[in-house]
C-alpha cells in the first residue's frame, strides 16, 4: 500500500491543516496499525470512524473489517480522501458529516448488528461525542479512541481526584475503560501541544445498575454543578430540580449513610447509582 506522508498529501490537495477542526494527522503507519489492532476486529464488523482525516487509520481498518463508514466533516478533505487515498478500497464509504449528528442507532438497527467505533478524536468534540455515544450504547460493540491526555485523565479519574467529574462518573458507569498507550506530539502533523492517550471502551460497565439512566445523569450533573459545595448545599438546595424536597434528599442521604457534608467529588460511581435509585423511589408514590 502506498504510504504518502500527510504533509505531501496536504500540499497535493492544496490544504492546510485546520486547527479549528482539530486536524493533527498521524505520521507513522506503525502507530496507526497499533491503534486499529486495539479494536480487535475479526473481519466481519462494520466500523464507524470518526474524523478520518487523510485516512491514516482508515486504510488499516479497510483491511481488517467488512465495511467502514468514515465520517469526515471537512468536505475538501473528504473529497481528497476519496480520490487520493481510498480509491482502491471499495469497502470504505466516506461521508461528509458532523459525527455529532450521525445516527449510530439507526445504522446499527438497519444492519442488524452493533458497530465498532474508532477515532483519533478532534479535541473540540470529545466530550459531546462521548455523551452522545453512551446515549446510543446499544448500537456499539467496542470503541477505541485517541484523546488528549488531559481528557483521558478526566475519563479515568476516581473519587477524590481533581480530575474526577461528570465525564468520569458517566463514562465509568456506562463503559469499561482501558488505558492502552500514549503518543507524544511528534507522532502528528502538525504536532499538537500535548500528549495523546489511546483508550478502549466497552459498553456496559460492571457497576450496580441504575433504574433510570437519564435520572442518574441528572443527579450526577446537579451534584457536580458546584463541585466545591457540600451535597447539602447542592442537592438539597436544588431538590426541586430532581422533583424532590430538601427534607426528602436529606433523609435519603441519611438512609444511604452518605454524610450531607461530603462533596460530589468524594462519591464513588456506585454511590451515585445508589443515590439516584433511592431518590427516584422516594419521589414515586407507593
Ligand atoms: N484520523 C486521522 C485524522 C485525525 S484529526 C488521523 O489519525 O490522522 C481529526 C479529524 O476529525 C480531522 O480530519 C477533522 O477534520 C475531523 N473532524 C473534526 N470535527 C469533526 C466532526 N464534528 N465530525 C467529523 N469529523 C470531524
Amino acid at each position: 500500500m502506498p504510504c504518502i506522508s500527510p504533509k505531501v498529501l496536504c500540499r497535493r490537495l492544496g490544504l492546510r491543516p485546520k486547527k479549528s477542526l482539530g486536524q493533527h494527522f498521524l505520521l507513522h503507519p506503525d502507530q496507526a496499525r497499533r491503534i486499529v489492532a486495539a479494536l480487535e476486529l475479526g473481519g466481519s464488523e462494520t466500523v464507524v470512524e470518526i474524523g478520518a482525516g487523510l485516512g491514516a487509520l482508515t486504510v488499516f481498518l479497510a483491511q481488517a473489517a467488512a465495511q467502514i463508514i468514515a465520517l469526515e466533516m471537512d468536505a475538501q478533505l473528504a473529497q481528497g480522501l476519496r480520490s487520493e487515498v481510498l480509491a482502491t478500497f471499495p469497502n470504505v464509504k466516506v461521508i461528509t458529516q458532523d459525527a455529532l449528528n450521525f445516527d449510530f442507532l439507526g445504522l446499527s438497527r438497519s444492519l442488524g448488528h452493533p458497530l465498532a467505533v474508532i477515532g483519533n478524536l478532534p479535541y473540540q468534540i470529545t466530550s459531546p461525542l462521548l455523551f452522545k455515544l453512551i446515549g446510543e450504547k446499544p448500537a456499539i460493540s467496542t470503541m477505541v479512541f485517541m484523546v488528549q491526555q488531559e481528557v483521558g485523565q478526566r475519563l479515568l479519574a476516581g473519587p477524590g481526584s481533581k480530575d474526577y467529574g461528570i465525564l468520569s462518573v458517566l463514562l465509568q458507569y456506562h463503559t469499561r475503560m482501558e488505558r492502552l498507550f500514549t503518543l507524544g506530539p511528534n507522532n502528528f502533523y502538525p504536532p499538537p501541544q500535548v500528549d495523546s492517550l489511546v483508550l478502549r471502551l466497552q459498553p456496559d460497565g460492571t457497576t450496580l445498575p441504575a433504574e433510570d439512566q437519564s435520572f442518574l445523569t441528572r443527579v450526577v450533573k446537579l451534584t457536580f454543578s458546584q463541585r466545591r459545595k457540600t451535597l447539602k448545599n447542592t442537592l438539597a438546595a436544588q431538590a426541586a430540580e430532581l422533583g424532590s424536597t430538601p427534607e426528602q434528599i436529606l433523609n435519603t442521604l441519611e438512609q444511604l449513610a452518605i454524610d450531607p457534608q461530603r462533596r460530589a467529588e468524594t462519591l464513588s460511581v456506585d454511590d451515585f447509582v445508589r443515590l439516584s435509585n433511592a431518590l427516584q423511589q422516594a419521589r414515586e408514590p407507593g
Side-chain angles (χ1 to χ4, degrees):
M1 177 195 355
C3 212
I4 317 166
S5 89
K7 218 173 185 165
V8 171
L9 260 177
C10 278
R11 204 175 310 133
R12 190 185 294 173
L13 297 168
L15 292 171
R16 248 169 216 276
K18 299 183 184 71
K19 227 184 184 161
S20 61
L21 287 176
Q23 293 179 354
H24 298 282
F25 304 113
L26 255 180
L27 284 171
H28 309 298
D30 284 350
Q31 304 293 17
R33 200 181 286 125
R34 215 171 149 205
I35 297 167
V36 169
L39 260 187
E40 298 177 331
L41 295 164
S44 60
E45 296 87 349
T46 298
V47 182
V48 178
E49 185 186 359
I50 316 285
L54 292 163
L57 301 177
T58 328
V59 292
F60 291 106
L61 291 168
Q63 300 167 73
Q67 188 191 8
I68 319 300
I69 308 294
L71 306 178
E72 175 49 63
M73 188 159 136
D74 182 334
Q76 232 184 332
L77 199 53
Q79 192 42 43
L81 185 62
R82 287 186 195 103
S83 61
E84 296 287 319
V85 187
L86 298 171
T88 54
F89 294 100
N91 60 338
V92 182
K93 190 168 167 193
V94 181
I95 304 182
T96 307
Q97 191 181 334
D98 182 342
L100 294 176
N101 297 328
F102 188 75
D103 183 4
F104 293 87
L105 277 173
L107 176 62
S108 161
R109 216 175 280 135
S110 70
L111 291 169
H113 60 79
L115 313 162
V117 184
I118 193 167
N120 169 4
L121 296 186
Y123 177 70
Q124 294 83 343
I125 67 161
T126 303
S127 301
L129 182 77
L130 292 173
F131 286 129
K132 174 180 166 63
L133 289 169
I134 57 177
E136 297 189 55
K137 194 165 67 161
I140 296 160
S141 56
T142 309
M143 300 174 264
V144 168
F145 293 130
M146 183 184 306
V147 299
Q148 285 201 349
Q149 173 106 309
E150 166 249 324
V151 179
Q153 274 162 359
R154 277 166 51 206
L155 288 168
L156 297 164
S161 148
K162 68 170 173 35
D163 293 325
Y164 187 61
I166 300 169
L167 205 57
S168 336
V169 175
L170 293 180
L171 265 293
Q172 287 169 32
Y173 171 74
H174 285 282
T175 71
R176 196 159 50 80
M177 271 187 280
E178 292 164 85
R179 178 197 176 109
L180 300 181
F181 51 91
T182 54
L183 288 180
N186 59 356
N187 287 286
F188 303 90
Y189 166 76
Q193 302 280 332
V194 292
D195 282 349
S196 303
L197 191 60
V198 178
L199 301 171
R200 179 166 45 222
L201 297 83
Q202 247 129 2
D204 283 320
T206 48
T207 51
L208 194 68
E211 278 158 30
D212 178 340
Q213 298 183 352
S214 66
F215 191 68
L216 172 70
T217 304
R218 281 164 59 198
V219 171
V220 173
K221 286 187 172 167
L222 191 70
T223 311
F224 275 108
S225 60
Q226 288 155 302
R227 63 181 290 136
R228 308 302 302 163
K229 289 199 176 174
T230 63
L231 298 175
K232 185 171 181 225
N233 286 333
T234 50
L235 278 183
Q238 300 177 82
E241 303 270 330
L242 299 173
S244 191
T245 63
E247 296 72 38
Q248 229 168 26
I249 300 247
L250 291 173
N251 279 342
T252 305
L253 288 171
E254 195 183 328
Q255 273 164 24
L256 297 174
I258 298 175
D259 182 348
Q261 297 304 327
R262 283 169 65 182
R263 294 175 179 159
E265 64 200 28
T266 69
L267 298 186
S268 68
V269 176
D270 278 0
D271 285 338
F272 276 108
V273 176
R274 289 189 307 133
L275 185 57
S276 161
N277 287 348
L279 285 176
Q280 200 177 17
Q281 271 164 16
R283 71 184 188 147
E284 274 165 12

